[in-house]
Amino acid sequence: MRADSHPHVYARHSTQLLLERHCNLTHSHRNPTLSTYRFQTINSSMARLQPKKRRLPYIGKSPSSAPNVPPSQGQSEAPVGGIASNPGHSGHGFKGKLAAMKSRFIRCHRGPPSSSTDPIASEGAQEDREPRQVAQDVDTQGLPSKAGPEPDPALADDNLDIARQVFDSMKPIPRAGEIAVNTVAKASTAVADLQNLSSTYLQPLKIFNNVVTTIANVHPYAQIALGILTAASQLIITQANLDNAISELLKKVGSVYAFLSDNDTIKNIDTMRVPLAKIAQVINTCAQFIRDYSETTNFWKRLGKNIMSETQTAINEYTKTLDELMQQYRDCQVQDIQINVYRVLEDLNMEGMAYAGGAGLNTMKKCLENTRIEILQDIINWVNDTHPDTRRILWLHGQAGRGKSAIAHTIASWLEDVGGLGSCFCFARDRQAERREEKMLTTISHDLASYYPAFRRALGRVLAEHPSLKTTPDLLKQWQKLILEPLSEAAGSIVGNVVVVIDALDESGEISSRKRILSLLTSKEAANMPPNFRVLLTSRALPDIERALRDAMNARAMCLDDVPAELAQRDITLFVSKELLSLKGSIGPTEIQQIVHKSNGLFEWARLACEFVDPNRAFGQTVEERFRSLIAIPSDEGKTLLDGMYATILGSVVPKSGTPFLRFCSVMQQLLTMLEPLPLAALNHMRSLFPNEADHYDVVIILQFMAPVLGGIADGSSPVRPLHASFYDFLTDHSRSGVYFIDTSDSSNLAYASLQVLAKELRFNICRLENSYLSNSQIPDLPERIKSNIPQYLSYSCKFWAKHLKMAKFDSCLATSVQGIVESEKILFWIEALSLLGALGSAESSLATTARWLQGHAGCEVPAALAMDGVKFLQCFTTAISCSAPHLYLSALPFAPSTSLFSKQLMCKFSHLVKVAQGGLQDWPAVQLALQGHTDVVTSVAFSPDGNRIVSGSWDNTVRVWDAKSADQIGSPLKGHTDCVTSVAFSPNGNRIVSGSFDKTVRVWDATSGDQIGSPLKGHTDCVTSVAFSPNGNRIVSGSWDKTVRVWDAKSGDQIGIPLKAHTQDAHSVAFSSDANMIISGSVGEAFGISGDGNGHPTMLHGNATQIHGTHPICFSSVSSHALPDSGQLLDDHTLEDITQQVLLHPDGWIKGPQGRLLLWIPASLQTPFYSMQTKLIIPRGCCVELDLSQMVHGNKWQDCFKYIS
């Protein structure tokens, strides 16, 4: 084809090639999206001439076969986009001028590496999702890699003349030529402007980096702020995407660094560390904004926002805040100024990713000011250390009461103040039932995505490619894919080191609860963590933790037991002096030193001592008497010292016999067996439902005297919990607590109370949701609805009733309560509440536990069977229910097998639901094994004829064989395809496997050895989509996107006959008839029958089929009367002209309307074959799953599905 016969083609080639040369000379790496946006009209024209492709190559990527020969050797370069140039065209003069211009640009534009774009280019730039190295490798021969001499203006003028001559000769597109000339001129000016920016605005940053190294003896809090400021300055200085649009912000940042380098500022750094930290926080976000500016403008463009307006808004916010903070610093005033951090966070759907609420930073646990300075300093030095060999993990350990958590929360708080905290995740003894260890990595990943825009984008790409990672229980995959991979990708865009704090790992629970976490932290993958990643881990030195971390190559240990005694005493003296300041008439310096000495370096003991002598806690005793009792406690080390303190505190308020003592034991048993702490009001509500009326009293009569050891008593709204885990350990160990021992082995009272709460409080649509189209995460006021409609005691009962039942002995009264829930619609209301609370993951195990508890007891057969049916119900429908609570009723219940106990018991209570008109589940699907091994999407699976093996094909280019019973992979992956595998099948005797691929080939494999048999079967000119063996195994049929069906000799690999060209669309599916005399092939809206030898003429099939001639706009059935009523509210203002593209069954199982509105969820077992509005033919009749929507309520009428019975 002659280039001049298609002016659009020639114009795109010429213009883009010139612009790429310009980009290569003004950027440290080539940005192909710049040129594709500037000439969008031309590219669109070109796109209309190109054949349709499913997997588009990277737009600037040269064919892999092209030789890498520099232009100086006389070779013409490959045109962009793979368009072949015409050697006969008179374009050699044009190319010669380009070569001359390129040579001059190389000489005159050697300068500091930069990948800036002017505002116009930034506004239109499309997101570049290819690795940067790919862009660098494209067409960069002869380009400078290092800074060189300043550009020569005269040479630049010559280059502009050449550019004008070149574009003047391009008659077909004079406007495009004019744009390119202007672009070159603007870019030349931009280069000079950026060099001015570098010399003017960046110089203060460089000066600051020199000055900061001379600053010594400052508070660790100030030091961490200086560390962030240094890292931010380095990120900005080395940034390759500086842009004229943000020069105003760069100027302001430069003025801030100049201010910080001033002698007067440096003198006040220690006293003004609070505003310094706030300045560091804002500069941190400024640096990330500058670094990510091109990505940010892409995001704004996708939202249809005005880029320049958004940019100016952000700059104004940063400028105003920095000015206020600098003025505060100058005035030596520490004010509580509100900092509005302008973060641009792209939308990221993390729905389904577990998040541990309440496991984050608690600033109330921070160290007292000016204590633990040396330890904090040491940790800050480790945080700021940029040496690549720095150990990534710091394990802070010591015995109970040393202050590990206080140090961890202090570091986390300081880092948060300067914008340097990645995540803080805390385990707690009273939260073990939440199984936080399973949510730790997903929570940390979620936090990192909230703090760092670059990490958020990287995580978004990972989740887009592997959405199953949101819910995978595989901690190794979570670690690799949700943390390490996006962190490595985002490393260059993050200021300073990313710090994750994990506090109190020893409180996770049993050894098994943390075994996997320790394995990950000490694995080879952890040893290769990104150099900017830090993990601060605290715990007691329990044997399993010490064994794992003691010899870990990437972990450094710091023991608080080894802190010099004089330092610990100094810090405890400060603490005790402050706490007892109001008692200075009774407690003087001598008494304080006695308390400090008695503490033996345990901060928790010192805290308890201060509480103990408080006159408000001293019932019938003076402060002096309490002090003498305190000093009389036998001295010992560690655990025994704390035990003595606990025994003394309890002995002073709790008698050892009588009704008060029994009430103490009852209340403490309630507290210690709670699986989640509750406030006083909720504790009293639960107690009022205990079966024994003697237990119906206000817990305050006991707890009001327990303030030294329990929190949440004073304000009444906070959860009541032990202030230190050692108190729980003391009470539950008979050898340590003696008469005060609390038995936590029986939970009958809490089980009974929880079931009573469920029976009385659960109701349909408990949060009064008005619409069924939204997912739970899309309901803007859901937290407020939950707070108003699901009180804390109901939330607790929903989550933990079955756990308490498991710890209770069988009792007929309890069994009756269980029966009342399981055999009624209350079980559905319970599932609904768990969906709204985000706790549905525990429902399946709760019902399984209930079934086991009931089994073997007379009269409990029906509720036990219903509980097991509930387990199967949840296994099938958790995906829909966890996404949207209304779809428990609309999408899950109607698809339950009609023969199941669950359906028989509950469907009679509901109406106006979807019905399965054809097909449907006859019984619960068998529990399936998860076959894990493929590294990308699995596209095709098939059983062997004997059912013992499974073959699978994947986008990872491999075929794998599995044992169907054990789920183990048999042998190694079958490798040979060079692109995605799309279809696989076994031969009738099970000895061979056939596969088709995007690489346009069909391959045959030995099913036992895994070897490829013969050469690939080649002939298709586009992706192969479907393959199948004939019943006798002698032939293979294949379908392709080239719209043909081909038949092959299975032994020789030769094609039989000519390609069968029947379809006008891509051939998606092929199969042999049972007698091998016919081949059927399917395409969009077409089905053809072809003689089995491959030589027959294709005939359109009508035979035993249902032909569809037009349907209702929203109908998933061949019967038009089954259409959805009231479809207008789903469609809103959308027209019906293209409704088949507006209401679709998506790969995730949801039928969605416009704007993602949720209409219905289809279980996987019913999705194939499923009748859709695109269906034109059904062969044979009745083979498709069809739905009757004619009675279905949806949208704002969904609540009508429940029949209220008064």
Side-chain angles (χ1 to χ4, degrees), residues 728-909:
Y728 179 99
D729 297 335
F730 167 77
L731 288 176
T732 55
D733 187 337
H734 192 279
S735 66
R736 295 168 61 183
S737 54
V739 68
Y740 301 114
F741 169 71
I742 303 298
D743 184 4
T744 58
S745 62
D746 183 44
S747 286
S748 298
N749 285 338
L750 284 172
Y752 186 85
S754 296
L755 288 165
Q756 294 302 305
V757 168
L758 298 185
K760 294 178 180 180
E761 303 285 343
L762 285 175
R763 63 181 185 273
F764 174 76
N765 192 17
I766 193 168
C767 282
R768 297 181 172 87
L769 304 182
E770 297 90 358
N771 200 297
S772 67
Y773 295 151
L774 301 179
S775 66
N776 292 345
S777 63
Q778 292 174 318
I779 302 171
D781 60 343
L782 183 59
E784 289 75 21
R785 289 174 183 260
I786 290 174
K787 186 175 181 180
S788 301
N789 296 287
I790 305 180
Q792 288 176 300
Y793 57 83
L794 176 56
S795 172
Y796 179 90
S797 299
C798 285
K799 290 187 282 187
F800 300 120
W801 66 271
K803 290 182 182 294
H804 289 304
L805 187 68
K806 181 181 180 180
M807 297 175 63
K809 296 177 181 178
F810 184 83
D811 177 83
S812 58
C813 290
L814 263 180
T816 301
S817 297
V818 172
Q819 187 175 359
I821 301 297
V822 174
E823 292 188 13
S824 73
E825 62 273 17
K826 294 283 185 180
I827 190 172
L828 290 177
F829 302 164
W830 166 67
I831 295 173
E832 176 194 334
L834 287 180
S835 169
L836 294 167
L837 291 168
L840 192 62
S842 64
E844 187 179 327
S845 62
S846 294
L847 291 179
T849 295
T850 302
R852 288 192 295 270
W853 190 84
L854 291 168
Q855 283 171 355
H857 298 284
C860 297
E861 295 82 1
V862 173
L866 278 167
M868 285 310 301
D869 235 28
V871 171
K872 296 173 183 177
F873 178 80
L874 288 166
Q875 288 173 343
C876 286
F877 301 110
T878 289
T879 300
I881 301 168
S882 61
C883 178
S884 173
H887 285 272
L888 161 65
Y889 310 101
L890 300 183
S891 294
L893 191 58
F895 290 120
S898 57
T899 58
S900 67
L901 281 175
F902 208 78
S903 181
K904 290 178 180 179
Q905 189 79 14
L906 299 171
M907 274 298 289
C908 60
K909 310 288 179 67

Side-chain angles (χ1 to χ4, degrees), residues 1030-1032 1035 1071-1080 1089-1096:
S1030 63
N1032 59 13
R1035 283 168 293 163
F1072 276 95
S1073 62
S1074 57
D1075 60 4
N1077 290 328
M1078 291 287 289
I1079 295 170
I1080 186 170
I1090 308 165
S1091 62
D1093 60 3
N1095 291 314

Side-chain angles (χ1 to χ4, degrees), residues 285-302:
T285 56
C286 285
Q288 292 188 60
F289 181 80
I290 293 170
R291 172 64 179 80
D292 293 339
Y293 182 66
S294 61
E295 295 277 4
T296 298
T297 52
N298 290 336
F299 174 54
W300 284 335
K301 182 175 181 292
R302 290 196 300 273

Side-chain angles (χ1 to χ4, degrees), residues 38 211 506 558 583 709 780 862 1009 1097:
R38 290 251 179 114
V211 170
D506 54 301
M558 180 184 292
L583 303 179
V709 289
V862 173
S1009 68
H1097 296 288

Side-chain angles (χ1 to χ4, degrees), residues 121 266 282 330 336 436 556 601 743 767 772 946 976 1087:
I266 294 172
V282 180
R330 292 187 190 98
D336 188 15
R436 285 186 173 179
R556 170 191 168 191
D743 184 4
C767 282
S772 67
D946 60 7

Side-chain angles (χ1 to χ4, degrees), residues 153 156 160 200 281 326 344 363 420 448 617 638 791 889 974 996 1124 1189:
L160 295 181
T200 305
Q281 180 186 3
M326 284 192 291
V344 182
T363 56
L448 292 172
R617 318 284 190 206
Y889 310 101
L974 313 186
L1124 182 75
L1189 307 180

